[in-house]
């Protein structure tokens, strides 16, 4: 099973951006952890980060037929990008949305994700571990469907 892990705007600054909220691990470290967690679950993980909505949508489209599922931290796009919602819906792959922080416990405008309704699951507020949980969930789904 091949999984695409996508990180959206400003997540390239992980490690230096609000470490009290997002933790001290850099994006490179997080992506490396995802590859390791994935390998332990028998998953092949590829990673992508962009600050550009269109580039993220293009990469999701590109995952069709190449990847089996997606882990997506949309960053702030979660709160307003209907285009990203529609892309998630359009690719017809299971997408697990992840947020490092608990978006429901911060500013009011952050509490809602417009992308969530198109996702198979949403995991928030678990830090980097949320990515591990998302990968585990997708691995379990795959096993269940193979049975
Ligand atoms: C985030 C939460 C978003 O509200 C924020 O804009 C981010 C990171 C998170 O991982 O907690 O960039 O997606």
């Amino acid at each position: 099973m091949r999984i695409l892990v996508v990180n959206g705007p400003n997540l390239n600054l992980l490690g230096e951006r609000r470490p009290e909220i997002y933790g001290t691990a850099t994006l490179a470290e997080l992506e490396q952890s995802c590859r390791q967690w994935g390998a332990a679950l028998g998953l092949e993980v590829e990673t992508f980060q962009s600050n550009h909505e269109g580039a993220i949508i293009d990469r999701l489209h590109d995952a069709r037929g190449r990847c089996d599922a997606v882990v997506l931290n949309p960053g702030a796009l979660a709160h307003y990008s209907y285009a990203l919602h529609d892309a998630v819906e359009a690719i017809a792959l299971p997408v697990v949305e992840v947020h490092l922080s608990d978006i429901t416990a911060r500013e009011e405008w952050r509490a809602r994700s417009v992308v969530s309704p198109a996702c198979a699951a949403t995991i928030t507020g678990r830090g980097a571990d949320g990515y591990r949980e998302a990968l585990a969930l997708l691995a379990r789904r795959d096993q269940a469907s193979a049975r």
Side-chain angles (χ1 to χ4, degrees), residues 18 27 29 35 44 64 72 74 112-113 116-117 119 138-139:
R18 315 270 332 247
L27 177 66
E29 288 165 350
R35 280 189 287 274
E44 238 181 284
R64 285 172 307 147
L72 171 65
R112 189 166 86 105
S113 165
S116 285
C119 294
L138 290 167

Side-chain angles (χ1 to χ4, degrees), residues 3-4 10 19 22 26 28 30 36 50-51 54-55 65 70 80 93-95 97 100 113 131 136 140-141 144 146-147:
I3 313 283
L4 173 63
N10 300 306
Y22 298 121
T26 64
L30 174 66
Q36 286 168 353
S50 177
N51 294 322
V70 178
Y80 64 89
L93 292 173
V95 176
E97 178 186 15
L100 292 155
S113 165
Y131 290 75
R140 281 201 302 276
R141 261 178 81 111
R147 259 183 243 127

Side-chain angles (χ1 to χ4, degrees), residues 53 57 60 72 74 77-78 80-92 95 113-119:
E53 182 181 28
I57 291 170
L60 290 173
L72 171 65
L77 291 173
Y80 64 89
S81 177
Y82 296 108
L84 188 55
H85 168 283
D86 283 357
V88 168
E89 191 180 64
I91 60 173
V95 176
S113 165
V114 302
V115 176
S116 285
C119 294

